[in-house]
Amino acid sequence: MEEAGLSGDADLDQIMLTVADPAESVAYFQRLSTASPDAIAPMRGLATSLVRAKRGNEAVTAWKKVAAHPQARDADRVELADALIRVNDWDAAEAVLDAIPPTFETFQRYRLEAMVADSNEEWSRADSFYETAAGLTTTPAGVLNNWGYSKLTRGDYPGAERLFTDALRQEPGLFTAKNNLVLARGAQRNYRLPVMPMTQTERAQLLHTLALAAIKQNDVTIGRGLLREAVDTHPQYFDAAARALAALEGNVTN
């Protein structure tokens, strides 16, 4: 039978699982786990909190304990796979996912399956899993961005550009997708910023990204111009762009 709450105060439990300070959350669920060592709900809370606190190895140990509990569910095993990926234990994560019945279909499961397929360079499987994951959530921007980055690493720049554009259509403020979109366009020697909402600071940062993409492809004159524009655009002193520009102009002078 599923436990209604962890401590008896469902609101406090939810706060600790989401917005509380991660270290405070870990301590909270450690106390609950000590008080009720056989209860699975405090174990889940502790494991989740350890992930939030970026204590990766401890989180893996905690999720393994949850997964071994008689009341463990397939969703717990998916969380174990997630924790294993966070510590770069891809083989173990794949083994955990492979042991979960294919009838267990969730966004999180397919998102992780896609990441594992990416790590194995199984591109067709990755594309299939990303597509499935995107269809299982009402907020697909993050997974579309990840899928686009996968395409970017493979050298499929037009495909990556389309996916980053789709991600931004879903979530216009997602800066990682904006930056990745600029990388995909730059890789195709398209050095114009796309039309999309951006702050002045974001515009400067994206110009800097585009400049580095141009320089990487030996389009140095274009890159220099983009760096100057980035420095001029930023509302404050843009140290990274200024240093890159100074280094570039120093090399030209020398």
Side-chain angles (χ1 to χ4, degrees):
M1 183 175 175
E2 182 63 26
E3 294 162 80
L6 307 180
S7 66
D9 186 339
D11 289 339
L12 178 58
D13 296 339
Q14 189 60 26
I15 288 170
M16 287 295 178
L17 286 168
T18 54
V19 298
D21 175 78
E24 183 181 350
S25 179
V26 169
Y28 173 80
F29 287 112
Q30 282 175 332
R31 289 194 297 272
L32 291 183
S33 295
T34 300
S36 303
D38 296 326
I40 193 171
M43 292 181 190
R44 286 193 187 110
L46 177 58
T48 300
S49 298
L50 287 165
V51 171
R52 288 186 64 232
K54 303 189 187 315
R55 290 162 61 172
N57 291 325
E58 293 172 82
V60 167
T61 300
W63 276 117
K64 283 181 177 178
K65 186 176 180 181
V66 173
H69 194 282
Q71 295 177 8
R73 304 172 300 198
D74 288 327
D76 297 318
R77 298 175 185 95
V78 171
E79 294 298 338
L80 170 57
D82 178 77
L84 287 162
I85 287 172
R86 290 172 187 270
V87 296
N88 291 314
D89 194 344
W90 293 91
D91 290 341
E94 184 173 11
V96 169
L97 290 170
D98 286 347
I100 297 171
T103 52
F104 185 74
E105 299 183 301
T106 65
F107 164 73
Q108 174 76 332
R109 192 253 175 92
Y110 283 111
R111 183 181 73 86
L112 299 180
E113 294 275 18
M115 294 170 65
V116 169
D118 260 346
S119 73
N120 292 332
E121 298 186 357
E122 298 171 345
W123 307 131
S124 294
R125 282 170 57 82
D127 288 341
S128 176
F129 288 136
Y130 278 124
E131 184 175 12
T132 301
L136 289 173
T137 178
T138 57
T139 54
V143 74
L144 290 170
N145 180 59
N146 289 349
W147 189 4
Y149 192 78
S150 172
K151 294 273 192 181
L152 190 65
T153 60
R154 307 177 212 173
D156 181 2
Y157 304 127
E161 184 175 353
R162 286 192 297 272
L163 286 162
F164 295 137
T165 301
D166 287 346
L168 289 168
R169 191 176 297 117
Q170 295 289 331
E171 191 176 327
L174 186 60
F175 181 75
T176 54
K178 295 178 186 180
N179 198 64
N180 287 336
L181 175 57
V182 165
L183 285 172
R185 288 165 66 92
Q188 299 170 81
R189 285 192 156 87
N190 180 350
Y191 299 127
R192 292 179 179 272
L193 289 181
V195 177
M196 58 184 174
M198 66 186 85
T199 66
Q200 190 174 349
T201 298
E202 286 179 334
R203 181 179 179 83
Q205 292 170 330
L206 295 171
L207 286 166
H208 178 238
T209 295
L210 202 53
L212 297 182
I215 292 165
K216 184 178 180 180
Q217 297 183 117
N218 293 319
D219 293 330
V220 178
T221 300
I222 293 172
R224 187 185 304 117
L226 289 166
L227 285 172
R228 288 199 187 104
E229 189 177 354
V231 170
D232 292 341
T233 297
H234 203 287
Q236 299 173 325
Y237 180 68
F238 194 173
D239 182 62
R243 283 189 286 107
L245 180 60
L248 193 62
E249 291 182 335
N251 287 338
V252 171
T253 301
N254 294 334

